[in-house]
């Protein structure tokens, strides 16, 4: 197998009061979805922000391999370089679509923004690309000039996906992307996401507290508690045969339909 | 008129004290050294409200000398309230000569226009700027916009132009049209009509921009490349009129539409009053 997209070893972010995340090790390969599950306050989002370089790590290393095969040590990256990677190689999907979208401009402008940031200057082409991406995320191309505020929650979340995937990033961070969606919308959203990930071969790190999401999407799962990974492995293995008491608790709390 | 009468309190030359002028000049030197970069400065309380040209007045005050000839325009006109008052203010606190002729002026303070008469080397134009940050309507955070400038991330500006075309079919921004200065810094040309944008490019005159409320100044030195942003398939273009000026007959100046009676009759005249005057005298 080729080099991992992301390899993390001994990563720690300490807020100073015992909160944060500690001793994180894992590797992520292209086309793989990794779910980080755990209860509120377990350090999931801290871990995600640290990986994405939004928070400064206290120790450990995060190595990212870009599309040209060059390695970047993210914990020591200069801000200019980090922002360049964030623009061209990463995506970040937030829980609340309005944090990740520009609500004041049309859907087309939202999707095109990253392309324009990378220097595309042909309006007709930008528009066509944006329309294609809207269709890929199951939004009619007639909605191209509508503002995201006129969209439903599920559509906003799908628009956010389109906005991030339009530059074909290698790695996408997702912070509870299904958080605010009702169950049927969630199911469609996850379906779509699985297809897009499968088609484009991107790597995804997704934070969620919903084990159902993990089962549907993720090949591998990390279970976190109090800032530490208490169990890591194949998702099916963890869900069917949890070893750690906390994982057992999580799995047993899923309502049996 | 500038002689102090006995008992009358005398202001320092050009109103500001010497230390303030020095602070402004240092900021200006930095601005000229980094074309288009917004330099913060300590904006002073001036005897007119923010939004009336306090930034421009401070810049003018810091660079005006006894041998300067000052011209002040507002929307191209020498005889509007803002222009008349600022001109009178400087006549009173400096005693320099004033003029309404672009060719005679060594220093021109302007609001919302660049004179039609081509500028010449040695002239300085001072612009009054309400909002120096071109990205402000799109990004509210100053911390963030400064980072965007530092890393030259200007994709956001095209989002606005994109949005214009999506909504109106063409780039509808008609004034304060964003420019790239010296292929590095994105800058607001102040609310001049985009008609005047081409005059910024390779201008022989020094162009200074002052925003008093926002406490920023920036500069475009002579003979600097200034490019108006656009898309490949929607290139930059300026306004054009079917009519000629009703007073001077000029076909290539910026025209104002003036309603002349209650029945909706209207006429188009040059916004640059000095240029219009010259044309009329030339024709006559």
């Amino acid at each position: 197998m080729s080099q991992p997209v992301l390899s993390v070893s001994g990563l720690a972010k300490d807020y100073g009061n015992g909160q944060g995340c500690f001793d994180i090790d894992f590797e992520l390969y292209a086309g793989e979805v990794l779910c980080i599950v755990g209860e509120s306050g377990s350090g999931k989002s801290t871990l995600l922000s640290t990986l994405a370089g939004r928070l400064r790590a206290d120790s450990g290393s995060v190595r990212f391999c870009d599309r040209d095969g060059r390695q970047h040590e993210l914990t020591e990256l200069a801000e200019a370089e980090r922002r360049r990677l964030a623009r061209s190689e990463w995506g970040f999907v937030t829980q609340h679509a309005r944090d990740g979208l520009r609500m004041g401009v049309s859907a087309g402008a939202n999707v095109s923004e990253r392309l324009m940031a990378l220097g595309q200057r042909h309006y007709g082409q930008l528009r066509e690309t944006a329309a294609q991406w809207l269709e890929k995320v199951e939004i009619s191309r007639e909605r191209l000039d509508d503002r995201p505020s006129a969209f439903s929650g599920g559509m906003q979340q799908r628009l956010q996906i389109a906005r991030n995937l339009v530059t074909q990033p290698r790695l996408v961070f997702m912070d509870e992307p299904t958080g605010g969606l009702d169950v049927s919308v969630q199911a469609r959203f996850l379906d779509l996401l699985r297809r897009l990930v499968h088609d484009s071969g991107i790597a995804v790190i997704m934070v969620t507290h919903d084990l159902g999401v993990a089962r549907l999407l993720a090949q591998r799962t990390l279970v976190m508690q109090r800032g530490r990974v208490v169990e890591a492995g194949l998702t099916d293995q963890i869900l069917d045969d949890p070893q750690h008491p906390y994982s057992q608790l999580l799995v047993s709390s899923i309502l049996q339909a | 008129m500038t002689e102090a009468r006995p008992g009358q309190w005398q202001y320092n030359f050009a109103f500001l004290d010497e230390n303030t002028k020095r602070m402004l000049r240092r900021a200006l030197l930095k601005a000229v050294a980094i074309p288009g970069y917004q330099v913060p400065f300590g904006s002073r309380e001036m005897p007119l409200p923010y939004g009336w040209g306090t930034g421009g007045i401070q810049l003018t005050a810091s660079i005006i000398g006894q041998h300067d000839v000052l011209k002040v325009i507002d929307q191209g006109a020498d005889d509007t309230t803002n222009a008349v008052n600022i001109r009178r203010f400087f006549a009173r606190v400096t005693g320099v000569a004033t003029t309404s002729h672009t060719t005679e002026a060594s220093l021109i303070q302007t609001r919302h226009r660049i004179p039609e008469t081509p500028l010449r080397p040695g002239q300085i134009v001072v612009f009054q700027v309400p909002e120096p940050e071109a990205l402000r309507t799109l990004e509210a955070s100053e911390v963030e916009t400064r980072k965007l400038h530092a890393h030259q991330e200007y994709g956001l500006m095209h989002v606005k132009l994109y949005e214009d075309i999506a909504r109106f079919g063409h780039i509808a921004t008609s004034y304060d049209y964003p420019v790239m200065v010296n292929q590095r810094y994105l800058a607001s040309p102040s609310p001049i009509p985009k008609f005047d944008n081409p005059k910024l490019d390779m201008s022989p005159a020094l162009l200074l921009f002052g925003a008093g409320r926002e406490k920023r100044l920036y500069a475009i030195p002579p003979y600097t490349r200034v490019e108006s942003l656009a898309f490949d398939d929607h290139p930059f273009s300026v306004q054009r009129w079917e009519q000629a000026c009703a007073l001077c007959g000029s076909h290539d100046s910026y025209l104002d539409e003036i309603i002349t009676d209650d029945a909706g009759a209207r006429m188009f005249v040059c916004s640059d009053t000095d240029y219009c005057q010259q044309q009329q005298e030339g024709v006559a």
Side-chain angles (χ1 to χ4, degrees):
Chain A
M1 205 163 178
S2 58
Q3 283 183 315
V5 175
L6 199 70
S7 55
V8 181
S9 64
L11 186 71
K13 168 74 196 171
D14 189 353
Y15 285 123
N17 52 0
Q19 301 271 311
C21 59
F22 309 93
D23 301 330
I24 311 290
D25 299 277
F26 68 86
E27 284 185 340
L28 182 73
Y29 289 87
E32 199 176 24
V33 180
L34 175 76
C35 259
I36 306 172
V37 297
E39 60 193 358
S40 300
S42 59
K44 312 184 294 276
S45 295
T46 301
L47 174 58
L48 198 69
S49 297
T50 314
L51 291 174
R54 296 186 171 193
L55 288 174
R56 194 152 196 88
D58 291 316
S59 63
S61 87
V62 180
R63 296 184 74 78
F64 172 74
C65 175
D66 69 15
R67 64 185 84 223
D68 304 324
R70 273 178 303 160
Q71 298 279 342
H72 301 268
E73 175 55 58
L74 299 188
T75 49
E76 289 164 4
L77 211 57
E79 188 177 5
E81 187 66 1
R82 183 177 73 73
R83 290 179 76 113
R84 193 188 64 75
L85 286 175
R87 269 207 312 274
S88 56
E89 305 261 343
W90 303 340
F92 201 108
V93 177
T94 59
Q95 178 176 3
H96 302 290
R98 49 188 63 237
D99 296 338
L101 293 173
R102 280 187 198 285
M103 301 303 281
V105 299
S106 67
N110 266 290
V111 177
S112 307
E113 181 176 348
R114 281 169 68 113
L115 292 171
M116 293 191 266
L118 293 178
Q120 274 206 32
R121 292 289 179 264
H122 193 284
Y123 176 79
Q125 285 166 11
L126 286 166
R127 202 167 163 76
E128 185 49 37
T129 313
Q132 283 169 9
W133 269 96
L134 283 195
E135 282 174 349
K136 276 191 203 176
V137 296
E138 298 170 5
I139 299 175
S140 156
R141 64 161 70 206
E142 266 106 69
R143 305 298 303 268
L144 197 59
D145 293 334
D146 290 352
R147 295 188 176 189
S149 45
F151 286 9
S152 69
M155 283 167 84
Q156 288 180 358
Q157 210 54 290
R158 278 179 276 145
L159 180 61
Q160 212 192 155
I161 297 285
R163 173 180 159 88
N164 275 285
L165 294 193
V166 66
T167 50
Q168 291 163 341
R170 272 170 66 80
L171 174 62
V172 177
F173 300 98
M174 297 193 188
D175 193 357
E176 310 230 12
T178 56
L181 307 179
D182 66 52
V183 188
S184 60
V185 175
Q186 228 182 68
R188 263 184 68 198
F189 178 77
L190 291 173
D191 219 35
L192 171 79
L193 205 57
R194 188 162 54 178
R195 206 179 61 232
L196 289 176
V197 169
H198 181 264
D199 291 351
S200 56
I202 52 174
V204 177
I205 301 181
M206 183 186 289
V207 158
T208 178
H209 55 249
D210 187 344
L211 285 177
V213 172
R215 187 189 288 275
L216 267 173
L217 280 181
Q219 286 89 353
R220 284 191 301 138
T221 297
L222 303 180
V223 182
M224 287 187 74
Q225 189 191 21
R226 293 196 212 100
R228 287 172 198 279
V229 175
V230 292
E231 192 164 352
L234 297 175
T235 305
D236 291 341
Q237 223 165 49
I238 290 182
L239 290 177
D240 296 338
D241 183 19
Q243 301 296 312
H244 190 273
Y246 177 69
S247 316
Q248 289 168 356
L249 179 73
L250 268 185
V251 171
S252 65
S253 345
I254 302 179
L255 292 175
Q256 300 297 329
Chain B
M1 75 184 170
T2 56
E3 292 297 302
R5 289 190 299 276
Q8 189 197 24
W9 197 77
Q10 180 84 52
Y11 283 108
N12 188 36
F13 180 78
F15 186 75
L16 293 173
D17 62 274
E18 293 304 314
N19 283 326
T20 300
K21 286 197 249 178
R22 180 187 289 181
M23 174 269 293
L24 277 157
R25 287 175 200 142
R26 291 176 65 150
L28 281 171
L29 285 176
K30 179 168 180 179
V32 169
I34 318 173
Y37 174 76
Q38 296 170 48
V39 183
F41 73 100
S43 183
R44 298 293 190 254
E45 193 85 7
M46 295 303 283
L48 79 170
Y50 284 144
W52 288 35
T54 49
I57 285 199
Q58 288 178 80
L59 295 200
T60 302
S62 70
I63 55 174
I64 197 166
Q66 277 159 342
H67 303 296
D68 268 316
V69 181
L70 179 70
K71 171 183 164 79
V72 184
I73 52 174
D74 170 8
Q75 305 272 15
D78 291 275
D79 52 3
T80 47
T81 315
N82 196 250
V84 168
N85 279 303
I86 292 174
R87 187 164 56 238
R88 193 171 55 190
F89 170 78
F90 278 113
R92 194 175 284 169
V93 296
T94 63
V96 303
T98 61
T99 180
S100 62
H101 297 313
T102 303
T103 45
E104 288 170 14
S106 61
L107 184 58
I108 303 171
Q109 180 169 334
T110 172
R111 169 176 178 268
H112 297 197
R113 276 312 304 279
I114 296 174
E116 305 285 1
T117 312
L119 301 170
R120 57 178 163 75
Q123 280 183 320
I124 300 179
V125 183
V126 173
F127 294 78
Q128 302 169 198
V129 184
E131 176 52 72
E133 181 52 74
L135 297 164
R136 181 61 70 235
T137 49
L138 300 149
E139 175 56 64
S141 158
E142 174 72 14
V143 173
E144 186 59 23
T145 50
R146 282 211 208 183
K147 278 187 183 165
L148 294 177
H149 282 295
H151 298 130
Q152 214 178 341
E153 288 180 16
Y154 294 138
L156 197 51
M157 200 69 244
H158 275 87
V159 170
K160 178 165 186 270
L161 302 182
Y162 174 100
E163 198 62 7
D164 261 8
I165 304 175
R167 267 201 272 165
F168 305 110
H170 62 280
I171 298 179
T173 305
S174 59
Y175 66 94
D176 210 348
Y177 192 103
V179 294
M180 188 65 87
V181 179
N182 203 20
Q183 295 167 330
R184 174 60 184 85
Y185 281 100
L186 179 75
S188 151
S190 86
I192 59 172
K194 66 177 173 183
F195 180 86
D196 285 343
N197 270 23
K199 297 178 193 163
L200 298 168
D201 185 33
M202 301 305 271
S203 160
L206 170 63
L207 312 174
L208 304 176
F209 299 79
R213 178 178 45 212
E214 305 295 329
K215 301 171 176 59
R216 295 285 184 278
L217 56 84
Y218 51 104
I220 301 176
Y223 305 109
T224 303
R225 286 281 290 133
V226 177
E227 193 189 339
S228 303
L229 298 186
F231 284 103
D232 295 344
D233 48 345
H234 286 262
F236 175 77
S237 65
V238 299
Q239 296 99 327
R240 289 271 168 255
W241 289 264
E242 312 249 307
Q243 299 84 349
C245 171
L247 299 178
C248 73
S250 169
H251 278 280
D252 38 36
S253 74
Y254 186 81
L255 301 182
D256 283 338
E257 183 178 8
I258 295 171
I259 296 177
T260 50
D261 62 24
D262 287 348
R266 58 199 63 203
M267 64 194 284
F268 286 85
V269 297
C270 292
S271 97
D272 186 335
T273 51
D274 171 54
Y275 176 79
C276 196
Q277 194 78 38
Q278 307 288 331
Q279 295 293 108
Q280 290 177 49
E281 282 163 13
V283 168

Coordinates of all heavy atoms in Angstrom, one line a residue, chain A residues 143-197:
Chain A
R143 N -31.0 26.0 -8.5 CA -30.8 26.7 -7.2 C -29.5 27.4 -7.2 O -29.1 28.0 -6.1 CB -30.9 25.7 -6.0 CG -32.2 24.9 -6.0 CD -33.5 25.7 -5.8 NE -33.5 26.6 -4.7 CZ -34.0 26.2 -3.5 NH1 -34.5 25.1 -3.3 NH2 -34.0 27.1 -2.5
L144 N -28.8 27.4 -8.3 CA -27.4 28.0 -8.3 C -27.3 29.4 -7.8 O -26.4 29.8 -7.1 CB -26.9 27.9 -9.8 CG -25.4 28.0 -10.0 CD1 -24.6 26.9 -9.3 CD2 -25.1 27.9 -11.5
D145 N -28.3 30.2 -8.1 CA -28.3 31.6 -7.7 C -29.0 31.9 -6.5 O -29.2 33.1 -6.1 CB -28.8 32.5 -8.9 CG -27.8 32.4 -10.1 OD1 -26.6 32.2 -9.9 OD2 -28.3 32.7 -11.2
D146 N -29.5 30.9 -5.8 CA -30.2 31.1 -4.5 C -29.2 31.2 -3.4 O -28.2 30.6 -3.5 CB -31.2 30.0 -4.3 CG -32.4 30.0 -5.2 OD1 -32.5 31.0 -6.0 OD2 -33.2 29.1 -5.2
R147 N -29.6 31.9 -2.4 CA -28.7 32.0 -1.2 C -28.9 30.8 -0.3 O -30.0 30.3 -0.2 CB -29.0 33.3 -0.5 CG -28.6 34.5 -1.3 CD -28.7 35.7 -0.5 NE -28.2 36.8 -1.4 CZ -28.0 38.0 -1.0 NH1 -28.2 38.3 0.3 NH2 -27.6 38.9 -1.8
P148 N -27.8 30.4 0.4 CA -27.9 29.2 1.2 C -29.0 29.4 2.3 O -29.6 28.4 2.8 CB -26.6 29.1 1.9 CG -25.7 29.9 1.0 CD -26.5 30.9 0.3
S149 N -29.3 30.7 2.7 CA -30.3 30.9 3.7 C -31.7 30.4 3.2 O -32.6 30.2 4.0 CB -30.4 32.4 4.1 OG -30.3 33.2 3.0
A150 N -31.9 30.3 1.9 CA -33.2 29.8 1.4 C -33.2 28.3 1.3 O -34.2 27.7 0.9 CB -33.4 30.4 0.0
F151 N -32.1 27.6 1.8 CA -32.0 26.1 1.7 C -32.4 25.5 3.0 O -32.3 26.1 4.0 CB -30.6 25.7 1.4 CG -30.1 26.0 0.0 CD1 -30.9 26.7 -0.9 CD2 -28.9 25.5 -0.5 CE1 -30.5 27.0 -2.2 CE2 -28.5 25.7 -1.8 CZ -29.2 26.5 -2.7
S152 N -32.8 24.3 2.9 CA -33.1 23.5 4.1 C -31.8 23.1 4.8 O -30.7 23.2 4.2 CB -33.9 22.3 3.8 OG -33.1 21.4 3.1
G153 N -31.9 22.7 6.0 CA -30.7 22.3 6.8 C -29.9 21.2 6.1 O -28.7 21.3 6.0
G154 N -30.6 20.2 5.5 CA -29.9 19.1 4.8 C -29.2 19.6 3.6 O -28.1 19.2 3.3
M155 N -29.9 20.5 2.9 CA -29.3 21.1 1.6 C -28.1 21.9 1.9 O -27.1 21.9 1.2 CB -30.3 21.9 0.9 CG -31.4 21.1 0.1 SD -32.7 22.2 -0.4 CE -32.0 22.9 -1.9
Q156 N -28.2 22.7 3.0 CA -27.0 23.5 3.4 C -25.8 22.6 3.7 O -24.7 22.9 3.3 CB -27.4 24.3 4.7 CG -28.3 25.5 4.4 CD -28.6 26.2 5.7 OE1 -28.2 25.9 6.7 NE2 -29.5 27.2 5.5
Q157 N -26.1 21.5 4.4 CA -25.0 20.6 4.7 C -24.4 20.0 3.4 O -23.2 19.9 3.3 CB -25.5 19.5 5.7 CG -24.5 19.0 6.6 CD -23.8 20.1 7.5 OE1 -23.0 20.9 7.0 NE2 -24.1 20.1 8.7
R158 N -25.3 19.7 2.5 CA -24.8 19.1 1.2 C -24.0 20.2 0.4 O -23.0 19.9 -0.2 CB -25.9 18.5 0.4 CG -26.3 17.2 0.8 CD -27.5 16.6 0.1 NE -28.8 17.1 0.6 CZ -29.8 17.4 -0.1 NH1 -29.8 17.2 -1.4 NH2 -31.0 17.8 0.5
L159 N -24.5 21.4 0.5 CA -23.8 22.5 -0.2 C -22.4 22.7 0.4 O -21.4 22.9 -0.3 CB -24.6 23.8 0.0 CG -24.0 25.0 -0.7 CD1 -23.9 24.8 -2.2 CD2 -24.9 26.3 -0.4
Q160 N -22.3 22.5 1.7 CA -21.0 22.6 2.3 C -20.1 21.5 1.8 O -18.9 21.8 1.7 CB -21.2 22.5 3.9 CG -20.2 23.3 4.6 CD -20.2 23.0 6.1 OE1 -19.2 23.3 6.7 NE2 -21.3 22.5 6.7
I161 N -20.6 20.3 1.7 CA -19.8 19.3 1.1 C -19.3 19.7 -0.3 O -18.1 19.5 -0.6 CB -20.6 18.0 1.0 CG1 -21.1 17.5 2.4 CG2 -19.8 16.9 0.3 CD1 -20.0 16.9 3.2
A162 N -20.2 20.2 -1.1 CA -19.8 20.5 -2.5 C -18.7 21.6 -2.5 O -17.8 21.5 -3.2 CB -21.0 21.0 -3.3
R163 N -18.9 22.6 -1.6 CA -18.0 23.7 -1.5 C -16.6 23.2 -1.1 O -15.6 23.7 -1.6 CB -18.5 24.6 -0.4 CG -17.6 25.8 0.0 CD -18.4 26.5 1.1 NE -17.5 27.3 1.9 CZ -17.1 28.6 1.6 NH1 -17.6 29.1 0.5 NH2 -16.3 29.2 2.4
N164 N -16.5 22.1 -0.3 CA -15.2 21.6 0.1 C -14.6 20.7 -0.9 O -13.4 20.6 -1.1 CB -15.4 20.9 1.5 CG -15.3 21.9 2.6 OD1 -14.2 22.3 3.0 ND2 -16.4 22.2 3.2
L165 N -15.5 19.9 -1.6 CA -14.9 18.9 -2.5 C -14.6 19.4 -3.8 O -14.0 18.7 -4.6 CB -15.9 17.7 -2.6 CG -16.1 16.9 -1.3 CD1 -16.9 15.6 -1.6 CD2 -14.8 16.6 -0.6
V166 N -15.0 20.6 -4.2 CA -14.9 21.1 -5.5 C -13.4 21.2 -6.0 O -13.1 21.0 -7.1 CB -15.6 22.5 -5.7 CG1 -14.9 23.5 -4.9 CG2 -15.7 22.9 -7.1
T167 N -12.5 21.4 -5.0 CA -11.1 21.5 -5.4 C -10.4 20.1 -5.3 O -9.2 20.0 -5.3 CB -10.3 22.5 -4.5 OG1 -10.7 22.2 -3.1 CG2 -10.7 23.9 -4.8
Q168 N -11.2 19.1 -5.1 CA -10.7 17.7 -4.9 C -9.6 17.6 -3.9 O -8.5 17.3 -4.2 CB -10.3 17.2 -6.3 CG -11.5 17.0 -7.2 CD -11.2 16.8 -8.6 OE1 -10.1 17.2 -9.1 NE2 -12.1 16.3 -9.3
P169 N -9.9 17.9 -2.7 CA -8.9 17.8 -1.6 C -8.6 16.3 -1.4 O -9.3 15.4 -1.8 CB -9.6 18.4 -0.4 CG -11.1 18.1 -0.6 CD -11.3 18.2 -2.1
R170 N -7.4 16.1 -0.7 CA -7.0 14.7 -0.4 C -7.6 14.3 1.0 O -7.7 13.2 1.3 CB -5.5 14.7 -0.3 CG -4.9 14.4 -1.7 CD -3.4 14.5 -1.6 NE -2.7 13.5 -0.8 CZ -2.5 12.3 -1.1 NH1 -2.9 11.9 -2.3 NH2 -1.8 11.5 -0.3
L171 N -7.9 15.3 1.8 CA -8.2 15.0 3.2 C -9.4 16.0 3.6 O -9.3 17.2 3.4 CB -7.0 15.2 4.1 CG -7.2 15.1 5.6 CD1 -7.7 13.7 6.0 CD2 -5.9 15.4 6.3
V172 N -10.4 15.4 4.2 CA -11.5 16.3 4.6 C -11.8 16.0 6.1 O -11.9 14.8 6.5 CB -12.8 16.0 3.8 CG1 -14.0 16.9 4.3 CG2 -12.6 16.3 2.3
F173 N -11.8 17.1 6.9 CA -12.2 17.0 8.3 C -13.7 17.3 8.4 O -14.2 18.2 7.8 CB -11.4 18.0 9.1 CG -9.9 17.9 9.0 CD1 -9.2 18.6 8.1 CD2 -9.3 16.9 9.8 CE1 -7.8 18.5 8.1 CE2 -7.9 16.8 9.8 CZ -7.2 17.6 8.9
M174 N -14.4 16.5 9.2 CA -15.8 16.7 9.4 C -16.1 16.7 10.9 O -15.8 15.8 11.6 CB -16.7 15.7 8.7 CG -16.5 15.7 7.2 SD -17.7 14.7 6.3 CE -17.0 14.7 4.7
D175 N -16.8 17.8 11.3 CA -17.1 17.9 12.7 C -18.6 17.7 12.9 O -19.3 18.6 12.6 CB -16.6 19.2 13.2 CG -16.7 19.3 14.8 OD1 -17.1 18.3 15.4 OD2 -16.3 20.3 15.3
E176 N -19.0 16.5 13.2 CA -20.4 16.2 13.4 C -21.3 16.8 12.3 O -22.2 17.6 12.5 CB -20.9 16.8 14.8 CG -20.0 16.5 15.9 CD -20.8 15.9 17.1 OE1 -22.0 15.6 16.9 OE2 -20.2 15.8 18.2
P177 N -21.0 16.3 11.1 CA -21.8 16.9 9.9 C -23.3 16.6 9.9 O -24.0 17.3 9.3 CB -21.1 16.3 8.7 CG -20.5 15.0 9.2 CD -20.1 15.3 10.6
T178 N -23.7 15.5 10.7 CA -25.1 15.2 10.7 C -25.8 15.7 11.9 O -26.9 15.3 12.2 CB -25.2 13.6 10.6 OG1 -24.5 13.1 11.7 CG2 -24.7 13.1 9.3
G179 N -25.1 16.5 12.7 CA -25.6 16.9 14.0 C -27.0 17.4 14.0 O -27.8 17.0 14.8
G180 N -27.3 18.4 13.2 CA -28.6 19.0 13.2 C -29.6 18.5 12.3 O -30.6 19.1 12.1
L181 N -29.4 17.3 11.7 CA -30.3 16.8 10.7 C -31.2 15.7 11.3 O -30.8 15.0 12.1 CB -29.5 16.2 9.5 CG -28.5 17.1 8.9 CD1 -27.7 16.4 7.8 CD2 -29.1 18.4 8.4
D182 N -32.5 15.7 10.8 CA -33.4 14.7 11.3 C -33.0 13.3 10.6 O -32.2 13.3 9.6 CB -34.8 15.0 11.1 CG -35.2 15.1 9.7 OD1 -35.0 14.2 8.9 OD2 -35.8 16.2 9.3
V183 N -33.6 12.2 11.1 CA -33.0 10.9 10.8 C -33.1 10.6 9.3 O -32.1 10.1 8.7 CB -33.8 9.8 11.6 CG1 -33.1 8.5 11.4 CG2 -33.8 10.2 13.0
S184 N -34.2 10.9 8.6 CA -34.3 10.5 7.2 C -33.4 11.3 6.4 O -32.7 10.8 5.4 CB -35.8 10.7 6.7 OG -36.1 12.1 6.9
V185 N -33.2 12.6 6.7 CA -32.3 13.5 6.0 C -30.9 13.0 6.2 O -30.0 13.0 5.3 CB -32.4 14.9 6.4 CG1 -31.4 15.8 5.8 CG2 -33.8 15.5 6.1
Q186 N -30.6 12.6 7.4 CA -29.3 12.1 7.8 C -28.9 10.9 7.0 O -27.8 10.8 6.4 CB -29.4 11.6 9.3 CG -28.2 12.1 10.1 CD -28.3 11.6 11.5 OE1 -28.2 10.4 11.7 NE2 -28.6 12.5 12.4
A187 N -29.9 10.0 6.8 CA -29.6 8.7 6.0 C -29.3 9.1 4.6 O -28.3 8.5 4.1 CB -30.9 7.9 6.1
R188 N -30.0 10.0 4.0 CA -29.7 10.4 2.6 C -28.3 11.0 2.5 O -27.5 10.8 1.6 CB -30.7 11.3 2.1 CG -31.8 10.6 1.3 CD -32.8 11.6 0.7 NE -32.2 12.4 -0.3 CZ -32.8 13.6 -0.7 NH1 -33.9 14.0 -0.2 NH2 -32.2 14.3 -1.7
F189 N -28.0 11.9 3.5 CA -26.8 12.6 3.5 C -25.6 11.6 3.6 O -24.6 11.7 2.9 CB -26.8 13.6 4.7 CG -25.5 14.3 4.9 CD1 -25.2 15.4 4.1 CD2 -24.6 14.0 5.9 CE1 -24.1 16.1 4.2 CE2 -23.4 14.7 6.0 CZ -23.2 15.8 5.2
L190 N -25.8 10.6 4.5 CA -24.7 9.7 4.7 C -24.5 8.8 3.4 O -23.3 8.5 3.0 CB -25.0 8.8 5.9 CG -25.0 9.5 7.2 CD1 -25.4 8.6 8.3 CD2 -23.5 10.0 7.5
D191 N -25.6 8.5 2.8 CA -25.5 7.7 1.6 C -24.7 8.5 0.5 O -23.8 7.9 -0.1 CB -27.0 7.6 1.1 CG -27.2 6.2 0.5 OD1 -26.6 5.3 1.0 OD2 -28.0 6.1 -0.5
L192 N -25.0 9.8 0.4 CA -24.4 10.6 -0.6 C -22.9 10.7 -0.3 O -22.0 10.6 -1.1 CB -25.0 12.0 -0.5 CG -24.3 13.1 -1.3 CD1 -24.7 13.0 -2.8 CD2 -24.7 14.5 -0.8
L193 N -22.6 10.9 1.0 CA -21.2 11.1 1.4 C -20.4 9.8 1.1 O -19.3 9.9 0.6 CB -21.2 11.3 2.9 CG -20.1 12.1 3.5 CD1 -19.9 13.4 2.8 CD2 -20.3 12.3 5.0
R194 N -21.0 8.7 1.4 CA -20.3 7.4 1.2 C -20.0 7.3 -0.3 O -18.9 6.9 -0.7 CB -21.2 6.2 1.6 CG -20.5 4.9 1.6 CD -21.1 3.9 2.4 NE -22.6 3.8 2.0 CZ -23.4 2.9 2.6 NH1 -23.0 2.1 3.5 NH2 -24.6 2.8 2.2
R195 N -20.9 7.7 -1.2 CA -20.7 7.6 -2.6 C -19.6 8.5 -3.1 O -18.7 8.1 -3.8 CB -22.0 7.9 -3.4 CG -22.0 7.2 -4.7 CD -23.3 7.5 -5.5 NE -23.5 8.9 -5.7 CZ -24.5 9.6 -5.4 NH1 -25.5 9.1 -4.8 NH2 -24.6 10.9 -5.7
L196 N -19.6 9.8 -2.6 CA -18.6 10.7 -3.0 C -17.2 10.3 -2.5 O -16.3 10.4 -3.3 CB -18.9 12.1 -2.4 CG -20.1 12.8 -3.0 CD1 -20.4 14.1 -2.2 CD2 -19.9 13.1 -4.4
V197 N -17.2 9.8 -1.3 CA -15.9 9.3 -0.8 C -15.3 8.2 -1.6 O -14.2 8.1 -2.0 CB -16.0 8.9 0.7 CG1 -14.7 8.2 1.2 CG2 -16.3 10.2 1.6

